Amino acid sequence: AFRDDKIEDIKESFKKKYAEDDEERESDKVTKKALFIRAGVFDSGNGYHNLAIYRSDVIEIDRKMETVYEHVYTYQFSDKTGDTLVPPQIFFEEYRDFCSEYAVEHFSGKYEEDELAQDWEAELKSDEKNFNNYIITNSGVVFYFDGGSIIKDDPAIKRMKIDNDTAGPILRD
């Protein structure tokens, strides 16, 4: 039920996002749009499970369907209680500081400066709004970043994995 409710919320968000576009293009019947959703459940091996819901917004541009936005919604659940967990229940308090430094080094080493989005470093600051989309696997932590937030003109989700040996100082038992 939780997953289905979240998917319905995503569908409503998609409809609202593109409703204004529809009003502006009322005479243009060619442009089509689609929402693709997929979900996965991952065992952390640490007493909780992760739910990841992947969203892709696709529209027709010049008779070709193109992805224009991607996002991942992630949730963690206790194996014992089934309750939703929040970052302070999984990570130590300073985890965002660690992740911020790691992410800046990771992405600046992986991409050329002219490939990076204008405000990419703001997405990686040690801030309450950052480092909240993640899953914990048996081999480490995977953080997700919205399409366009790290790489300019790229709607694809970007991932950053921190293996268990490196992530050890930020993970609570």
Side-chain angles (χ1 to χ4, degrees):
F2 181 89
R3 181 187 66 120
D4 294 339
D5 290 345
K6 293 300 178 186
I7 288 173
E8 285 304 315
D9 291 346
I10 294 168
K11 287 179 185 178
E12 286 304 312
S13 169
F14 177 82
K15 288 176 188 175
K16 286 179 186 175
K17 180 177 180 178
Y18 292 102
E20 292 175 9
D21 290 349
D22 287 347
E23 290 173 14
E24 291 175 14
R25 284 193 313 262
E26 197 167 310
S27 63
D28 182 5
K29 302 291 183 195
V30 177
T31 301
K32 296 175 176 49
K33 56 196 162 302
L35 170 65
F36 293 98
I37 297 176
R38 57 191 168 89
V41 175
F42 305 90
D43 180 5
S44 71
N46 294 332
Y48 42 87
H49 277 76
N50 305 272
L51 168 64
I53 302 173
Y54 303 87
R55 167 191 178 160
S56 294
D57 296 5
V58 180
I59 64 171
E60 182 182 66
I61 300 173
D62 295 328
R63 305 187 116 205
K64 181 181 173 193
M65 298 303 283
E66 294 188 22
T67 300
V68 293
Y69 175 73
E70 288 186 339
H71 180 77
V72 178
Y73 304 84
T74 62
Y75 309 92
Q76 288 68 41
F77 302 92
S78 168
D79 287 345
K80 290 179 184 174
T81 65
D83 292 339
T84 304
L85 301 173
V86 294
Q89 294 173 293
I90 296 171
F91 299 107
F92 287 113
E93 188 176 329
E94 303 82 22
Y95 90 95
R96 285 187 176 95
D97 296 335
F98 176 90
C99 291
S100 176
E101 288 180 34
Y102 188 94
V104 168
E105 186 176 314
H106 172 81
F107 288 114
S108 63
K110 189 172 183 175
Y111 298 101
E112 297 295 323
E113 190 172 330
D114 63 339
E115 294 177 287
L116 295 166
Q118 183 175 352
D119 294 331
W120 72 279
E121 288 179 292
E123 297 294 322
L124 306 177
K125 284 188 177 182
S126 179
D127 188 308
E128 287 283 320
K129 67 179 181 137
N130 295 331
F131 303 103
N132 293 316
N133 281 330
Y134 58 87
I135 60 170
I136 311 289
T137 68
N138 291 328
S139 60
V141 184
V142 179
F143 288 93
Y144 296 96
F145 303 91
D146 287 352
S149 64
I150 304 295
I151 306 302
K152 67 180 168 191
D153 303 324
D154 184 355
I157 296 163
K158 295 298 171 228
R159 295 164 181 81
M160 176 185 74
K161 182 174 183 182
I162 304 176
D163 64 43
N164 277 336
D165 291 338
T166 305
I170 62 171
L171 289 171
R172 292 177 60 184
D173 291 334

